[in-house]
Amino acid sequence: LFVAQGIALLVIGAIRGKLLFHPERNAATVTGWILIAYAVILYPIAGWLLGHGYPDGPSFGAPCPVTIFFAGVMLWTKGAMRVALLVVPIGWAIVGTSAAAQLGIREDSALPVAAAWLLAEFGRRLWSRPGNAACVVRPLHTPAAYQRSR
């Protein structure tokens, strides 16, 4: 599934040019920075402090920290998020969270947080797109329609 995710990133991002990274001054970008820093810096430190350090525990390159990192980077994108790019990380967050709870890998507790932020930002962008019927407020009577009805 992660290979398919990589191919989707290549096709959507590099070939089609539908993935634009544009960090802005907003909560999503700040959260993205936090998730990236956690995945790259704090995750291995937490693993080491909890007794799961290298080579016994997961480090960056394993699915859980990479999923957290990916969520952070996706929060930097501009425009609509592609569902095809979210299926694998959200799915892994669900699987990885349950496995981490059973195996006692507490550093993976950021997985559901990353998935929740990713889903929330996906929803926010979906509902705030121009032309979306859910966010368009139309008056009941426009002046032109009122004139025609007379």
Side-chain angles (χ1 to χ4, degrees), residues 27-106:
T29 298
V30 171
T31 305
W33 276 113
I34 292 169
L35 291 174
I36 290 167
Y38 181 83
V40 175
I41 299 167
L42 298 176
Y43 188 97
I45 292 171
W48 179 73
L49 291 173
L50 294 168
H52 306 132
Y54 184 80
D56 299 327
S59 60
F60 193 78
C64 292
V66 168
T67 300
I68 296 166
F69 179 85
F70 179 80
V73 170
M74 285 302 292
L75 292 175
W76 288 359
T77 61
K78 185 175 184 174
M81 290 182 171
R82 306 290 188 243
V83 174
L85 297 180
L86 303 181
V87 172
V88 172
I90 299 297
W92 184 259
I94 293 166
V95 171
T97 298
S98 64
Q102 291 176 355
L103 298 173
I105 301 176
R106 292 182 295 195

